[in-house]
Amino acid sequence: MSVVSGVNPRTFVFADDGLVPNNPMPFLVYPQAIDVDNDHPEKTIEGLFGANGWGQMWRNGVYDYLHYHATVHEALGVARGHARVRFGGDRGKALEISAGDVAILPAGTGHQGLSASEDFWVVGAYPPGPPMQITRPTPENHRKALKTIPEVALPRTDPVMGAEGPLVRLWK
């Protein structure tokens, strides 16, 4: 099993700052949740996310500009390296994330890569629903997002812990 037992997520709630809407549901970070000490950590993360019903996966880093997704929730599994990422917009919180960590962003949560190791690599995934769209923080996008975000369906499963995972209990 690739999930490390006994891992509980750290939770953060970021306020709407007028440009980045964020979400009243908590942003979750599972520290060292996935055992990625193998030759194919990306496949390990993809297998876990896929088994828990999260798809539309990609591999990359975290963009170095502030953005959010107003139509979908997002999971970021760190396969390799480490990075400093600001979550929640300019008034949010900068966190160090590293191989084995998973961040789960409810729709509207701002994020921006601030720095990263050369080997930093992330697997992103989404629950079933509309495709991901990158939204930049502008007043017009903010107005639209305030209408879109409440319509985003709640995931049926936690991408790390499945149907009984903390996300299912914490996101209401």
Side-chain angles (χ1 to χ4, degrees):
M1 186 72 161
S2 57
V3 176
V4 176
S5 64
V7 175
N8 290 309
R10 295 174 62 196
T11 62
F12 303 86
V13 175
F14 302 115
D16 181 333
D17 69 8
L19 288 177
V20 175
N22 290 305
N23 198 304
M25 296 187 300
F27 160 71
L28 309 176
V29 178
Y30 287 93
Q32 301 299 291
I34 303 174
D35 180 3
V36 292
D37 188 20
N38 61 63
D39 292 336
H40 304 287
E42 295 85 0
K43 289 183 180 180
T44 299
I45 294 169
E46 289 166 347
L48 177 65
F49 286 174
N52 288 320
W54 288 57
Q56 301 177 44
M57 290 181 232
W58 53 266
R59 298 178 183 185
N60 201 345
V62 176
Y63 291 130
D64 63 0
Y65 57 87
L66 179 56
H67 65 286
Y68 60 90
H69 310 294
T71 59
V72 69
H73 310 295
E74 181 174 49
L76 302 174
V78 182
R80 300 172 192 267
H82 58 89
R84 186 165 181 78
V85 179
R86 184 171 47 233
F87 295 99
D90 290 337
R91 296 185 197 154
K93 185 169 184 65
L95 299 173
E96 296 288 335
I97 56 174
S98 60
D101 292 352
V102 176
I104 308 172
L105 295 72
T109 302
H111 48 297
Q112 175 183 12
L114 302 175
S115 63
S117 61
E118 286 189 26
D119 61 340
F120 180 64
W121 206 240
V122 170
V123 173
Y126 308 94
M132 180 274 292
Q133 296 176 346
I134 295 172
T135 304
R136 300 292 291 262
T138 68
E140 181 181 351
N141 287 344
H142 181 266
R143 280 191 299 278
K144 290 177 184 175
L146 291 178
K147 295 175 183 168
T148 305
I149 292 168
E151 296 175 6
V152 177
L154 290 175
R156 293 185 180 179
T157 59
D158 181 305
V160 177
M161 304 285 189
E164 302 300 319
L167 177 148
V168 178
R169 293 190 310 272
L170 294 169
W171 286 11
K172 303 283 182 204

